Amino acid sequence: MTEITGSCLCGNVSYKGDGEIKMVINCHCTDCQQATCSSHATMVFVSEDAVEFTGETSRFDHPADSGNTLTKIFCGTCGSQVAGKNSGRQGVIGLRAGCVDQKELIKPGANIYCDSAIPSTAMDPKLKKFPAMPG
Ligand SMILES: [Zn+2]
Ligand SMILES: [Zn+2]
């Protein structure tokens, strides 16, 4: 078993779990840009049951263009967004790559929502690019 651990900037929120990663995606949608205040979000999808959080998290729900509800999970003290959930994908949680300790596990498989990418964002030409959410 590969362990996956991570924490927010101030350390009040941390997590630990089984690092069996289902998928790693770079998302360039406007929501991810605003939520991360960065060019894109790199999301590490794992089974929600496999990860245990410690510390008090804050949550923010918002609708996705699919009609699903997206939930951002973040530290109310330092603001780090540690994870996200999608009501359309029960049982799965998307850890935010920047807070994951095992950097070597972060191997994105695709870039999505490339139509709204910041033009200067470098993307690995070997990865698949989708203009929006893959079909
Ligand atoms: Zn924090
Ligand atoms: Zn996104």
Side-chain angles (χ1 to χ4, degrees):
M1 177 184 124
T2 311
E3 190 178 60
I4 194 163
T5 56
S7 60
C8 65
L9 179 60
C10 76
N12 281 353
V13 175
S14 61
Y15 56 81
K16 184 175 153 158
D18 178 351
E20 185 166 337
I21 294 167
K22 297 175 183 296
M23 187 168 50
V24 180
I25 293 286
N26 293 327
C27 184
H28 302 264
C29 81
T30 311
D31 285 353
C32 284
Q33 288 168 342
Q34 289 181 309
T36 62
C37 308
S38 188
S39 59
H40 64 283
T42 300
M43 299 176 286
V44 180
F45 292 102
V46 296
S47 173
E48 193 177 2
D49 296 342
V51 181
E52 194 181 332
F53 282 82
T54 305
E56 196 177 333
T57 52
S58 295
R59 282 161 186 260
F60 175 68
D61 288 341
H62 64 108
D65 51 13
S66 60
N68 293 336
T69 299
L70 301 183
T71 303
K72 304 293 185 258
I73 301 167
F74 55 97
C75 173
T77 302
C78 70
S80 293
Q81 189 196 146
V82 290
K85 286 175 44 157
N86 182 336
S87 65
R89 288 169 172 265
Q90 292 296 332
V92 174
I93 193 163
L95 302 173
R96 296 327 194 220
C99 294
V100 171
D101 294 326
Q102 293 76 18
K103 307 296 185 202
E104 71 282 1
L105 296 179
I106 316 298
K107 295 175 190 152
N111 286 289
I112 67 169
Y113 284 95
C114 294
D115 276 0
S116 50
I118 294 176
S120 62
T121 304
M123 292 186 211
D124 184 341
K126 293 194 292 289
L127 297 185
K128 273 190 230 158
K129 284 173 78 169
F130 296 92
M133 186 69 119

